[in-house]
Amino acid sequence: MAQKRILITGAAGFIGSHLCDRYIKEGYHVIGMDNLITGNLENIAHLFPLENFEFYHHDISKFVFVPGDLHYILHFASPASPIDYLKMPIQTLKVGSLGTHNLLGLARVKKARILIASTSEVYGDPLVHPQHEEYWGNVNPIGPRGVYDEAKRFQEAITMAYHTYHGLETRIVRIFNTYGPRMRVEDGRVLPAFFSQAIKGEGLTIFGDGSQTRSFCYVDDLVEGIFRLLLSDYVLPVNLGNPDEITIKQFADEILALVNNPKAGIVNRPLPVDDPKQRQPDIRRAKEILGWEPTYDRRSGLLLTYEYFKQVVH
Ligand code: UDP
């Protein structure tokens, strides 16, 4: 059988680069694409010498052209941290809307199956807990997170429209907080912030009183779920995440204990506007449809991630 060719947008980003690794390992020909506004070529530098990897430095909000056959598209390009989308609100809206439209068009021309990266942010500050896929969410369209949340909601809507109207093969994954090596140190998200502060012996910046909760999934588990979803025949959104929920205060304590730097401590900062109070994925659908569930507990995932941050934080 001819080698399968897959386009991965956001290839130089945290999750995108891990997906490149996985599909290379599975024997696919991987075409990475990224405009590098938040991605980092270091994440995929090791792939450049390979024959079955190529890379385009391109902004997918503009017309996307890829020569040759294409069997699959994974759309993972977007700023993804609250700080980034505050800094780049228009790009965030464009990549989720115009970028997705371009890729759906490309998928149609190539008769490719497309999987788009959606997010737990479609649930906003959720009034249902844990969040299952049938919950419609509680999103403030004009708040600081609206640019990301609404772009992703639009992305889901246009993806479903291409499926129903054009019969395109589409998949939608709703990704909950994910962590692991290659997260950007300064991306402002809680795990890179806490690790770099703990390693440098600074105060870990807890926003608000730290009673808000999140549930953290190790990146290899997420990638396995995405791999299974792409090969499945399921078109409705599927949550992927680790249901093990903790408060941000507990999370800070765990990282302090792991890094064990006597100079590090805790400082409190104001809670950002519209920061969701609680978040936990309901993963029954993923279990049933994909036979998937996370395999890394937080301790083993954090140990692997710490090894990475020790190398990149100075
Ligand atoms: N947070 C924090 N200190 C930080 C960064 C984030 O207390 O330095 C909190 C933030 O307010 C949120 C949680 O950690 O409640 C997760 O934030 P993150 O930016 O990682 O992602 P989110 O899940 O909010 O998209």
Side-chain angles (χ1 to χ4, degrees):
M1 204 171 62
Q3 191 181 38
K4 294 289 182 198
R5 289 165 57 86
I6 185 167
L7 170 68
I8 302 180
T9 74
F14 162 49
I15 296 176
S17 65
H18 285 280
L19 287 167
C20 289
D21 284 344
R22 175 65 188 261
Y23 283 90
I24 289 282
K25 209 171 109 202
E26 299 285 343
Y28 289 58
H29 182 92
V30 173
I31 302 158
M33 197 173 275
D34 205 302
N35 68 352
L36 302 176
I37 61 170
T38 59
N40 179 359
L41 284 179
E42 286 298 317
N43 291 337
I44 47 171
H46 57 288
L47 301 178
F48 277 72
L50 304 180
E51 246 177 41
N52 55 333
F53 181 77
E54 53 187 305
F55 179 76
Y56 291 88
H57 184 190
H58 181 68
D59 178 356
I60 57 147
S61 301
K62 306 201 174 83
F63 182 79
V64 182
F65 175 74
V66 175
D69 286 345
L70 209 50
H71 304 97
Y72 299 105
I73 298 174
L74 295 181
H75 178 21
F76 279 71
S78 177
S81 91
I83 300 247
D84 285 342
Y85 36 84
L86 274 176
K87 276 192 271 183
M88 296 172 267
I90 316 287
Q91 284 109 316
T92 304
L93 280 159
K94 282 172 74 177
V95 72
S97 55
L98 309 181
T100 303
H101 188 208
N102 288 336
L103 292 173
L104 289 164
L106 180 68
R108 226 183 129 211
V109 174
K110 302 283 186 183
K111 299 188 176 33
R113 179 181 296 178
I114 179 166
L115 180 149
I116 60 129
S118 187
T119 164
S120 54
E121 285 284 325
V122 301
Y123 303 120
D125 191 0
L127 305 176
V128 166
H129 194 75
Q131 293 78 55
H132 56 76
E133 290 88 347
E134 259 133 62
Y135 177 47
W136 292 351
N138 176 39
V139 171
N140 174 5
I142 56 164
R145 288 174 176 254
V147 295
Y148 184 66
D149 302 7
E150 296 296 5
K152 290 292 188 180
R153 289 166 68 97
F154 172 87
Q155 182 186 52
E156 290 197 9
I158 193 170
T159 299
M160 284 312 288
Y162 266 72
H163 172 71
T164 50
Y165 188 73
H166 289 307
L168 196 70
E169 287 192 37
T170 57
R171 307 288 180 266
I172 299 173
V173 57
R174 290 187 182 150
I175 300 170
F176 284 65
N177 293 71
T178 299
Y179 69 97
R182 302 185 190 156
M183 290 186 94
R184 214 171 79 238
V185 178
E186 308 84 21
D187 90 346
R189 279 187 283 193
V190 65
L191 182 136
F194 284 0
F195 263 125
S196 67
Q197 290 156 348
I199 292 168
K200 289 192 216 154
E202 298 169 356
L204 274 59
T205 49
I206 293 189
F207 296 167
D209 63 5
S211 63
Q212 70 272 32
T213 68
R214 293 294 185 275
S215 310
F216 296 94
C217 182
Y218 188 64
V219 64
D220 287 6
D221 281 332
L222 180 84
V223 165
E224 177 62 29
I226 291 165
F227 188 79
R228 292 186 192 197
L229 179 60
L230 183 67
L231 295 181
S232 80
D233 57 7
Y234 194 75
V235 295
L236 297 178
V238 176
N239 288 340
L240 291 180
N242 189 324
D244 187 5
E245 180 181 0
I246 51 163
T247 68
I248 293 304
K249 170 78 177 71
Q250 285 170 311
F251 195 53
D253 290 338
E254 284 186 6
I255 291 184
L256 282 175
L258 181 64
V259 176
N260 194 20
N261 182 344
K263 288 200 209 122
I266 281 181
V267 292
N268 286 92
R269 295 275 180 270
L271 190 67
V273 177
D274 294 338
D275 197 285
K277 281 180 275 309
Q278 52 180 4
R279 185 182 288 154
Q280 185 201 126
D282 179 332
I283 58 165
R284 279 175 298 176
R285 187 175 277 182
K287 275 187 187 160
E288 194 187 317
I289 310 268
L290 310 175
W292 174 90
E293 62 183 321
T295 58
Y296 287 83
D297 62 17
R298 208 170 39 252
R299 177 154 180 83
S300 47
L302 284 180
L303 275 170
L304 292 167
T305 309
Y306 180 34
E307 288 307 312
Y308 174 78
F309 279 99
K310 271 198 274 196
Q311 291 165 25
V312 292
V313 174
H314 303 286

